[in-house]
Amino acid sequence: MSEPIPVIDDISILYSDPKLASARARWAELSAEFEKHYGRKPDFIARSPGRVNLIGEHVDYSGFGVLPMAIEDDCLIAVAVNESSSDVKFANINKKYSSLEFSPKSSQDGYVDINPELHVWSNYFAAGYRGLLEELNIETPNGMLCLMSGSVPEGAGLSSSSAFVCCSVIATVKAQESLLEKSQRKIPSAHEIATIAIRSERYVGALVGGMDQAASILSKPNAALFIEFHPVLKATPVYFPTTQPAIAFVIANTLVTSAKAETAPVRYNLRVVETRGAARVLALALGIPLPADGKFHLKQVLDAHYEKVGFSSEGKTEAEADIEKLVGMTEVVERVLGTDEIKNGVSYSKLCELSGLSEAEFKKLYIQQPIRDEIFHLYRRAKHVYTEERRAVAFRDTCEKAMRVQEKAAGGDEHKAVVESKALFKRLGELMDESQVYCHKYFDCSCDELEELTQLARRAGAYGSRLSGAGWGGASVSLVSEDRVPEFISHLKKEFYAKHHPDLTEDQLERAIFASAPSSGAAMFVGHL
């Protein structure tokens, strides 16, 4: 829990062999452009990657675990520190983005103005900057000259905005290192920085759960991460067994943009309110005491329910016990929220009545960010959350069991390993496919293009295919055996991209659909390019 953000002097540990050469060229370009722009070399480059969520969609803000992996596309911010001034200058290597310059205000005034109603790219840098300084209570920060390069596709469900905020937090804490050392204060650990980044992104107007930031900062090489949020943030690497053929994940962008900050009131933020409302209604129905502040999420309902009624885990593995509890909670959802009165959605006034609150009280407790809707779906959201967490636990358990079998059978029969790999792919694929069904039917976060793309992926040989990220556009992720990747990508280019996006260049196609190895998480580079 106390490990720092890695400080590196060689970027080869961040990228797979096929992508290393282009990565080196991009980092070198950033350094050269920085020197051209500011007349000096950067002191360091902060790096934070995007992520693809393999399974566990829209459950993080309900307190449950998710299973993403970091991808090789990332956000880079080159920084030079100015200890004689607090002024900040921030620019993007992509000239379509305007520059940002400011002198930080006092901590009492929030350091820097951020208007979440104005959807400008610089808000994400300002959010990370402000969040870090507030957390460390730095009154007079060191100045920063910054230049950014981002390769995570925007609006693709690959966490470009969170990678940006994370990178801003990391760049800012590194720039303030001398102040921390002078005052003999501890530099935040990677886990602490992830927590700061989670809080910071809320300044741009999105109620985030924490998966994106934790995956971007805490990922380990060659592994996915099972990230848990309740009662504390915990990240456990989940390794995939060596199989023949190898497992591969192909990311395909629908090119339907889902801008979180713009659509949050009718999508992301609304889902947070619906799941919290469902948790409160379930708690009241089950006779579970609510905390003093009145706030409750669905994981807390599960824990409190089984503490009240009792649960025996004797003879069960941790995964088996978790899955049994989640199945039980799905039955509770059917009984409490699956009634004629609630199942098809309720009005805001009815939601407040079921919650035992006035409309003003409900708004004060649960609506901290703008939302817009007339119907609130408690049954569908809660059913998705409990079943999706069951799928995430089963996905992790399947991988870990396969790893144990592989370790036991090291040097065993090769044919047997091939059969086991096919069974592994089939089981993981089934869980991904079921997840897509629930995202579409119960969480209403898919779209026509995602439905078409995931169906095409299965016909092209994917063992499983599902949306990744918040949804409503963005990218899909498909499990494919490595030997089928070129054929698989070629098929989707022909059947999806040629149909919907015939004018894409070959370079644009390569950015739209690609395989990615599990990447390392955040890092601070201090070497020479």
Side-chain angles (χ1 to χ4, degrees):
M1 293 287 285
S2 60
E3 290 182 3
I5 296 290
V7 178
I8 62 173
D9 60 7
D10 180 4
I11 69 167
S12 65
I13 65 171
L14 303 177
Y15 304 97
S16 61
D17 289 342
K19 298 190 177 182
L20 183 57
S22 61
R24 287 193 191 281
R26 176 169 160 249
W27 283 64
E29 179 192 16
L30 176 62
S31 184
E33 286 295 319
F34 185 97
E35 190 168 4
K36 189 186 301 182
H37 192 83
Y38 292 116
R40 59 173 290 185
K41 292 182 181 295
D43 295 321
F44 63 88
I45 298 176
R47 183 257 183 177
S48 205
R51 64 95 190 96
V52 62
N53 192 28
L54 301 179
I55 201 161
E57 217 65 70
H58 287 285
V59 299
D60 51 345
Y61 48 83
S62 288
F64 284 112
V66 293
L67 193 62
M69 72 176 197
I71 61 175
E72 294 170 287
D73 289 299
D74 50 23
C75 176
L76 308 176
I77 300 178
V79 181
V81 182
N82 184 358
E83 296 187 6
S84 63
S85 168
S86 291
D87 293 348
V88 174
K89 294 183 178 181
F90 191 87
N92 196 308
I93 201 168
N94 186 334
K95 298 300 190 289
K96 80 174 185 178
Y97 298 105
S98 58
S99 299
L100 171 70
E101 295 186 18
F102 63 92
S103 297
K105 299 187 292 185
S106 68
S107 58
Q108 186 175 353
D109 292 328
Y111 296 102
V112 57
D113 292 326
I114 304 171
N115 184 353
E117 299 298 319
L118 297 177
H119 307 302
V120 294
W121 77 283
S122 54
N123 273 356
Y124 294 99
F125 171 79
Y129 177 86
R130 175 178 172 177
L132 188 281
L133 295 184
E134 283 184 341
E135 181 67 25
L136 300 186
N137 194 27
I138 294 175
E139 194 62 49
T140 308
N142 289 331
M144 298 169 64
L145 303 176
C146 308
L147 184 64
M148 172 184 160
S149 170
S151 66
V152 185
E154 296 177 30
L158 299 176
S159 194
S160 60
S161 57
S162 295
F164 190 177
V165 173
C166 290
C167 204
S168 172
V169 173
I170 296 161
T172 305
V173 74
K174 179 67 174 173
Q176 309 311 317
E177 211 168 70
S178 64
L179 295 179
L180 297 176
E181 290 171 350
K182 285 175 186 175
S183 60
Q184 297 183 323
R185 295 170 66 188
K186 183 175 71 74
I187 295 171
S189 68
H191 275 78
E192 289 167 337
I193 287 175
T195 302
I196 293 168
I198 292 167
R199 288 198 288 264
S200 296
E201 192 165 337
R202 293 170 187 169
Y203 286 127
V204 300
L207 294 172
V208 296
M211 171 184 68
D212 300 346
Q213 299 83 359
S216 185
I217 291 173
L218 302 175
S219 286
K220 301 296 183 184
N222 306 313
L225 270 189
F226 191 78
I227 305 171
E228 299 167 89
F229 303 92
H230 182 78
V232 295
L233 179 66
K234 178 183 176 184
T236 306
V238 177
Y239 294 92
F240 295 99
T242 303
T243 55
Q244 188 58 251
I247 195 170
F249 292 98
V250 175
I251 300 160
N253 187 356
T254 61
L255 300 177
V256 176
T257 301
S258 177
K260 187 188 294 183
E262 296 173 23
T263 62
V266 293
R267 292 176 176 174
Y268 197 95
N269 292 353
L270 179 61
R271 296 297 181 275
V272 175
V273 172
E274 288 174 318
T275 56
R276 296 285 166 85
R280 183 180 180 93
V281 174
L282 284 172
L284 291 173
L286 295 171
I288 295 170
L290 293 166
D293 64 5
K295 296 180 181 178
F296 224 44
H297 57 56
L298 290 167
K299 174 66 163 62
Q300 290 170 305
V301 174
L302 180 149
D303 290 340
H305 175 62
Y306 284 106
E307 185 176 339
K308 180 181 178 181
V309 303
F311 182 83
S312 175
S313 58
E314 186 177 351
K316 304 180 182 85
T317 66
E318 182 179 353
E320 288 169 344
D322 287 345
I323 288 170
E324 186 175 326
K325 289 179 180 179
L326 289 159
V327 170
M329 288 308 300
T330 306
E331 293 168 356
V332 170
V333 168
E334 291 289 347
R335 174 165 54 84
V336 176
L337 303 179
T339 63
D340 292 340
E341 180 184 37
I342 301 173
K343 189 171 186 177
N344 294 317
V346 297
S347 66
Y348 180 62
S349 60
K350 187 64 179 180
L351 170 60
C352 295
E353 178 189 327
L354 292 168
S355 300
L357 298 169
S358 69
E359 293 188 14
E361 288 170 332
F362 189 95
K363 182 177 181 180
K364 183 178 179 181
L365 271 179
Y366 296 110
I367 307 178
Q368 281 75 50
Q369 301 288 352
I371 64 166
R372 296 193 305 273
D373 208 348
E374 296 180 357
I375 300 296
F376 294 79
H377 292 282
L378 310 183
Y379 165 76
R380 281 156 52 180
R381 309 313 181 223
K383 184 167 182 176
H384 168 82
V385 169
Y386 286 127
T387 61
E388 182 73 352
E389 181 62 8
R390 172 183 58 77
R391 289 183 286 274
V393 171
F395 195 104
R396 172 187 176 180
D397 187 50
T398 300
C399 291
E400 291 179 340
K401 282 178 178 175
M403 283 295 297
R404 289 194 291 270
V405 169
Q406 180 127 23
E407 288 164 4
K408 214 176 210 184
D413 182 78
E414 185 178 341
H415 177 68
K416 183 180 179 183
V418 171
V419 171
E420 289 175 347
S421 72
K422 288 181 179 178
L424 170 68
F425 294 173
K426 184 175 183 294
R427 176 57 181 147
L428 297 180
E430 288 170 347
L431 292 167
M432 293 174 71
D433 286 345
E434 186 182 323
S435 173
Q436 177 61 26
V437 169
Y438 271 75
C439 283
H440 176 50
K441 292 186 176 181
Y442 289 91
F443 222 75
D444 300 304
C445 60
S446 189
C447 67
D448 291 344
E449 291 83 357
L450 279 166
E451 291 302 306
E452 180 183 355
L453 190 53
T454 53
Q455 290 167 17
L456 283 170
R458 294 181 198 109
R459 290 201 291 269
Y463 285 89
S465 186
R466 61 180 298 279
L467 65 83
S468 181
W472 299 292
S476 67
V477 58
S478 301
L479 191 163
V480 184
S481 62
E482 190 178 59
D483 59 321
R484 295 288 302 277
V485 167
E487 177 187 347
F488 177 83
I489 289 178
S490 178
H491 183 85
L492 262 60
K493 284 181 178 179
K494 178 182 177 183
E495 297 298 327
F496 183 82
Y497 292 99
K499 174 183 173 183
H500 292 284
H501 305 284
D503 298 328
L504 290 181
T505 65
E506 191 57 36
D507 182 62
Q508 288 170 325
L509 274 172
E510 295 301 317
R511 301 287 306 139
I513 180 167
F514 56 91
S516 179
S519 172
S520 299
M524 285 185 274
F525 175 80
V526 295
H528 298 285
L529 294 165

